[in-house]
Amino acid sequence: MTRRKVFDPGSVPSSFWRKTDVEVALARRDIAELFRSYLTDFTECTQTQLALLTEHDRSDVSNWVRGSRHGQVSDINVLTRIAEGLQMPDEARTLMGLAPADALVSSIRDERELTKPPSSVAEATRVRVDGSDSSSPRIAICGSRSPGTNSRVIDAAVRSLARLVMVRRLLVNHGPIGVGIEVITHIADHYQPPGLRGAVAIFGRRNVIFDASYIVIVGGGPGTQAEADIALSMGKRILPLGASGGSAAAIYRQALRTPELSDWMPDSTRETLATCAKADMDTDPAAVERMTDDFVYMLDDLVDTDEGDHA
């Protein structure tokens, strides 16, 4: 009997990882759907070989494929084994929530960089993901876990925004405390880019927002409201996640009655912000995740449109 040839994951074309169903599975960390797509497209790969490649028992792979095991995986070590075993390209890794194989979040600085003074104020205040430069899109992430905010929504928003920062390689402005630094910490803890030692925050509300294209508001108290007021006076584009409560909810209500806050928005952005202002969804964890993902997809679309306009 002829022995079956061992499948080589290096032979998988890059186009596979760009298929819509595969990208959706990666973004949702839906390993069951990812494995089903993989086995469907590459019939020479068996479930046993897939188990060996990803360091799983064959029964685990079989249960995922048959749907008898929950498909979504959050364990970073399991995701890393799968990514390395299938030799995922960097864009697939980041979409799934892992750092690129050769990534460095350069302004979450290593020890050598921390010993060198920045050459300018601008350099000191930027958070860069490896591969970004001064022309990369920049957002300010404002807000905090103040009284009246929704911690569950904020938790989900931190995860969703961290994925966007990694995938889009955005520049991020944030203060020394609050949701912005939580996003960067989440990247350090869960994406595990190599060489991370510290993050450089920006002091002063005006400094946080002055050179950002979009001001993302999640939760927050009086300080966040002050940042939004400054942003409005500067003509900035403000995106409040209303369901996170606190200042974000107040700013969303303000946007409904203040043309300066909403005139710039496409209809799709208005609709998404309205959906993401519904606090009653916090009773369903899956609904909260979908809502914050929708908020981030909206921001991703806006950034994409901006990049297209400047291409």
Side-chain angles (χ1 to χ4, degrees), residues 142-160:
C142 304
S144 62
R145 297 177 185 269
S146 299
T149 60
N150 187 315
S151 291
R152 181 178 289 176
V153 174
I154 293 175
D155 288 342
V158 166
R159 292 189 292 269
S160 295

Side-chain angles (χ1 to χ4, degrees), residues 30-48:
D30 188 341
I31 299 306
E33 186 59 36
L34 175 63
F35 280 3
R36 282 193 287 268
S37 296
Y38 200 89
L39 293 169
T40 298
D41 280 34
F42 309 109
T43 55
E44 63 272 31
C45 181
T46 65
Q47 289 188 16
T48 298

Side-chain angles (χ1 to χ4, degrees), residues 83-158:
E84 292 178 351
L86 300 185
Q87 298 182 28
M88 288 184 187
D90 280 350
E91 58 267 27
R93 290 174 63 95
T94 54
L95 193 57
M96 192 166 65
L98 299 173
D102 59 352
L104 171 66
V105 179
S106 61
S107 68
I108 305 179
R109 314 241 175 170
D110 64 28
E111 288 172 341
R112 290 170 298 175
E113 288 187 84
L114 287 173
T115 63
K116 298 186 297 182
S119 61
S120 67
V121 173
E123 179 184 334
T125 60
R126 289 174 184 167
V127 170
R128 298 188 179 192
V129 176
D130 182 49
S132 68
D133 55 35
S134 60
S135 64
S136 298
R138 185 178 309 144
I139 63 173
I141 301 178
C142 304
S144 62
R145 297 177 185 269
S146 299
T149 60
N150 187 315
S151 291
R152 181 178 289 176
V153 174
I154 293 175
D155 288 342
V158 166

Side-chain angles (χ1 to χ4, degrees), residues 13-307:
S14 59
S15 58
F16 170 77
W17 301 106
R18 293 194 294 268
K19 292 175 58 177
T20 299
D21 60 330
V22 172
E23 288 187 332
V24 169
L26 290 169
R28 293 177 176 173
R29 295 180 173 181
D30 188 341
I31 299 306
E33 186 59 36
L34 175 63
F35 280 3
R36 282 193 287 268
S37 296
Y38 200 89
L39 293 169
T40 298
D41 280 34
F42 309 109
T43 55
E44 63 272 31
C45 181
T46 65
Q47 289 188 16
T48 298
Q49 291 178 337
L50 193 57
L52 290 172
L53 288 169
T54 61
E55 300 180 36
H56 284 92
D57 291 337
R58 188 197 178 284
S59 60
D60 291 336
V61 174
S62 177
N63 288 335
W64 267 321
V65 172
R66 290 188 293 108
S68 58
R69 178 175 178 175
H70 184 62
Q72 288 187 307
V73 172
S74 59
D75 189 304
I76 197 72
N77 294 316
V78 173
L79 295 171
T80 298
R81 291 204 308 270
I82 293 170
E84 292 178 351
L86 300 185
Q87 298 182 28
M88 288 184 187
D90 280 350
E91 58 267 27
R93 290 174 63 95
T94 54
L95 193 57
M96 192 166 65
L98 299 173
D102 59 352
L104 171 66
V105 179
S106 61
S107 68
I108 305 179
R109 314 241 175 170
D110 64 28
E111 288 172 341
R112 290 170 298 175
E113 288 187 84
L114 287 173
T115 63
K116 298 186 297 182
S119 61
S120 67
V121 173
E123 179 184 334
T125 60
R126 289 174 184 167
V127 170
R128 298 188 179 192
V129 176
D130 182 49
S132 68
D133 55 35
S134 60
S135 64
S136 298
R138 185 178 309 144
I139 63 173
I141 301 178
C142 304
S144 62
R145 297 177 185 269
S146 299
T149 60
N150 187 315
S151 291
R152 181 178 289 176
V153 174
I154 293 175
D155 288 342
V158 166
R159 292 189 292 269
S160 295
L161 285 166
R163 287 197 297 273
L164 178 67
V165 170
M166 289 298 295
V167 172
R168 270 289 182 183
R169 304 193 171 205
L170 299 176
L171 296 172
V172 178
N173 291 355
H174 64 82
I177 59 174
V179 175
I181 193 65
E182 284 194 48
V183 171
I184 303 305
T185 302
H186 185 89
I187 290 173
D189 287 343
H190 298 278
Y191 289 68
Q192 300 181 3
L196 302 193
R197 294 296 185 273
V200 179
I202 303 173
F203 290 86
R205 293 177 183 132
R206 181 176 294 273
N207 293 332
V208 170
I209 63 178
F210 87 98
D211 60 350
S213 298
Y214 294 96
I215 313 302
V216 176
I217 307 290
V218 181
T224 303
Q225 180 65 58
E227 285 176 323
D229 291 341
I230 294 170
L232 178 59
S233 71
M234 297 172 69
K236 295 292 184 178
R237 292 173 286 186
I238 303 173
L239 296 168
L241 178 58
S244 61
S247 292
I251 293 164
Y252 173 72
R253 292 191 295 269
Q254 183 182 357
L256 295 179
R257 59 180 185 270
T258 307
E260 293 86 349
L261 274 170
S262 58
D263 280 353
W264 66 270
M265 295 178 185
D267 289 342
S268 58
T269 299
R270 296 171 189 269
E271 292 168 4
T272 300
L273 288 181
T275 300
C276 294
K278 297 176 181 177
D280 58 343
M281 284 191 288
D282 68 350
T283 58
D284 180 359
V288 171
E289 293 288 344
R290 288 193 298 270
M291 176 187 64
T292 55
D293 282 347
D294 286 345
F295 182 83
V296 165
Y297 293 150
M298 171 200 68
L299 177 56
D300 187 28
D301 287 341
L302 291 169
V303 170
D304 189 54
T305 299
D306 285 351
E307 288 185 318

